[in-house]
Amino acid sequence: MEILDGKKISNDIKQEIAEEVAKMKDRGEKVPHLAAVLVGNDGASLTYVGSKVRTCKKIGFESTLIHLPEDTSEEKLLAQVEALNANPEIDGYIVQLPLPKHINEQKVLLAVDPSKDVDGFHPENFGKMALDMVSFIPATPYGIMELLRRYDVDTTGKHTVVIGRSHIVGRPISILMSQKGKAADATVTLTHSRTQNLKEFTKNADIIVSALGVPDFLKADMVKEGVVIIDVGITRVPDSSEKGYYITGDVDFDEVAPKASHITPVPGGVGPMTIAMLLKNTLLARKRQN
Ligand code: NAD
């Protein structure tokens, strides 16, 4: 069994980006600038955004955090998005989800300039991705693809079962892995909460990408020997530690790992890859602005 070490690979990617940024600086070029908009004080969102901004600094990017109060109106947020679209200093930006309930998420995502949409959530980018055109690929599926590529995991013709059909993970990874190319060319089945007899699919899967958000959902009796496991799930489970919670994935790691040929841990698997690929997208945005 081989661990797909997202922490290590994400550090390699960040190092590669940092070297490229240093060269840009030496040439007197503008360095990539990522902005993040956060509305409210959701604990997980604060952690994610904080980590994104800190990592920008480490690799030589410029970064801007725009933290708006929970009661920010939709109109105000849309005005902020327009300002970011018009600001030539900003190469790419993200609007951290989820947004408070009184704001229409779709309306906000549609207002993002697709050339600065480094999350890859705008329909223009999603459509281009589905049609094999140059686009911004959402960071989490992009990170999964990169992890599979760098570990040379054979996906050609392999039966890949994706659990979860979200717009940010399940749906895009099912498209990407069915396309032509490295870490792709797979035969993909997309499953979800209405799938009947899920176990019949997972037991026959060569590769399982689990993105549903239910701790320890995938058990040993649901997988076959030699399976490749990509655990996207991140759930905070309350405990008596100082933090008040621990992080766990969708896969019962202790049970499933002995049967797997490759497996991502949680934490330290897909999570760190997501941040690395967001930075990669921001670098691409900077290059494409030229
Ligand atoms: P979501 O929370 O929007 O939706 C969950 C999906 O799981 C739905 O499509 C639903 O149909 C499916 N589902 C629910 N119960 C099911 C069942 N019993 N059988 C089969 N399918 C079922 O999905 P999401 O936003 O992709 O998040 C999923 C998990 O991934 C969460 O834990 C989230 O925190 C995590 N996540 C991690 C990263 C990362 O960087 N590693 C990024 C995004 C999301």
Side-chain angles (χ1 to χ4, degrees), residues 1-288:
M1 185 268 295
E2 185 171 22
I3 295 281
L4 299 173
D5 188 345
K7 200 163 175 197
K8 182 199 172 291
I9 300 294
S10 68
N11 282 333
D12 293 348
I13 294 169
K14 284 186 271 185
Q15 182 61 34
E16 290 160 18
I17 299 174
E19 282 165 16
E20 215 171 325
V21 174
K23 282 186 199 148
M24 290 170 123
K25 245 184 202 160
D26 286 346
R27 291 193 296 263
E29 294 171 14
K30 179 185 178 312
V31 298
H33 189 157
L34 175 73
V37 183
L38 173 64
V39 185
N41 292 304
D42 176 72
S45 294
L46 279 165
T47 308
Y48 292 146
V49 170
S51 160
K52 286 167 187 171
V53 170
R54 268 195 312 281
T55 316
C56 278
K57 294 222 163 80
K58 269 192 213 150
I59 63 166
F61 281 15
E62 298 282 342
S63 67
T64 300
L65 171 61
I66 300 159
H67 192 176
L68 304 171
E70 177 81 26
D71 61 359
T72 301
S73 67
E74 186 178 284
E75 205 184 358
K76 252 204 168 143
L77 179 58
L78 286 169
Q80 182 61 71
V81 165
E82 286 309 328
L84 287 167
N85 288 344
N87 185 345
E89 284 303 310
I90 305 293
D91 298 299
Y93 67 96
I94 57 160
V95 180
Q96 184 67 43
L97 303 180
L99 290 169
K101 288 206 165 39
H102 64 276
I103 296 176
N104 182 334
E105 218 161 79
Q106 220 168 43
K107 215 167 163 179
V108 174
L109 295 182
L110 278 168
V112 176
D113 177 345
S115 72
K116 295 188 176 188
D117 169 38
V118 286
D119 255 341
F121 294 164
H122 191 284
E124 183 175 317
N125 281 315
F126 201 94
K128 283 182 170 174
M129 176 199 71
L131 295 169
D132 302 323
M133 294 164 75
V134 172
S135 68
F136 291 113
I137 297 169
T140 302
Y142 194 7
I144 296 170
M145 298 297 285
E146 199 57 28
L147 201 53
L148 292 169
R149 274 187 212 116
R150 294 200 183 210
Y151 275 94
D152 240 340
V153 175
D154 184 16
T155 56
T156 304
K158 302 293 181 195
H159 183 206
T160 298
V161 171
V162 177
I163 311 175
R165 57 181 160 187
S166 75
H167 294 164
I168 61 169
V169 187
R171 191 77 53 82
I173 195 66
S174 70
I175 294 170
L176 291 166
M177 289 195 69
S178 66
Q179 287 175 331
K180 291 181 182 167
K182 198 155 185 236
D185 281 320
T187 305
V188 180
T189 303
L190 180 58
T191 68
H192 46 77
S193 53
R194 297 296 184 99
T195 298
Q196 291 176 12
N197 303 321
L198 180 70
K199 195 171 163 181
E200 293 308 311
F201 292 99
T202 56
K203 269 180 83 171
N204 288 304
D206 302 307
I207 301 168
I208 298 174
V209 180
S210 184
L212 75 158
V214 179
D216 296 338
F217 178 83
L218 199 74
K219 300 281 185 191
D221 67 345
M222 295 170 76
V223 307
K224 70 175 182 188
E225 287 290 338
V227 67
V228 175
I229 301 282
I230 306 291
D231 188 353
V232 187
I234 297 181
T235 306
R236 289 181 169 200
V237 181
D239 68 4
S240 56
S241 70
E242 208 178 304
K243 264 203 284 188
Y245 65 87
Y246 70 97
I247 299 277
T248 188
D250 291 347
V251 178
D252 189 329
F253 188 91
D254 294 342
E255 264 196 19
V256 173
K259 284 182 94 173
S261 66
H262 301 79
I263 186 164
T264 60
V266 179
V270 178
M273 290 300 294
T274 298
I275 295 194
M277 300 325 277
L278 171 70
L279 300 170
K280 176 99 189 172
N281 274 342
T282 308
L283 178 65
L284 290 173
R286 172 82 288 271
K287 290 181 179 171
R288 289 175 192 165

